Amino acid sequence: QVQLVESGGGLVQAGGSLRLSCAASGITFSIATMGWYRQAPGEQREWVASITSDDNTNYADSMKGRFTIARDNAKNTVYLQMNSLKPEDTAVYYCRGRQGLRIYWGQGTQVTVSS
């Protein structure tokens, strides 16, 4: 059974930082492409960042320079370091894993940025 469990969300003031973690089990983590998505109230889920099995990273334009995605294959964990947070970053953040054609989602973690 595949599980992706996010943690690290919370309430932070604008300009602050948070680090999200996503612990994976039930997949061969080292060969999976991992990503972070977010969904604000009333909005569609949007892609934030992704990292391939060979550590190639990509970011949505609005996150470049502020967010960093990283992975630790020994811990089966992917991270999202978020700096210079803005109120518009408020959303539920979801971890996504892709192994071949199979896609898996975590349950999400709430990030709230106050102004």
Side-chain angles (χ1 to χ4, degrees):
Q1 181 181 358
V2 176
Q3 281 194 310
L4 302 178
V5 180
E6 301 99 333
S7 60
L11 174 64
V12 64
Q13 288 188 332
S17 299
L18 282 174
R19 188 177 81 153
L20 306 183
S21 300
C22 171
S25 60
I27 62 172
T28 307
F29 184 82
S30 61
I31 65 170
T33 293
M34 302 300 297
W36 288 95
Y37 288 69
R38 70 184 187 185
Q39 188 167 18
E43 303 290 333
Q44 290 190 335
R45 191 171 297 188
E46 66 172 343
W47 170 68
V48 173
S50 59
I51 183 166
T52 65
S53 58
D54 53 357
D55 283 342
N56 286 321
T57 59
N58 283 287
Y59 300 90
D61 286 344
S62 62
M63 286 65 158
K64 286 180 181 177
R66 299 190 300 126
F67 292 7
T68 302
I69 189 171
R71 66 191 297 156
D72 185 338
N73 289 341
K75 296 182 178 180
N76 284 5
T77 300
V78 61
Y79 304 97
L80 184 69
Q81 177 68 43
M82 305 186 293
N83 299 327
S84 302
L85 284 163
K86 306 174 183 179
E88 51 264 43
D89 293 318
T90 295
V92 178
Y93 284 70
Y94 296 91
C95 175
R96 190 188 93 149
R98 180 173 63 81
Q99 185 173 322
L101 298 178
R102 295 177 181 259
I103 293 174
Y104 307 96
W105 292 93
Q107 82 290 349
T109 185
Q110 176 71 46
V111 171
T112 303
V113 184
S114 64
S115 57

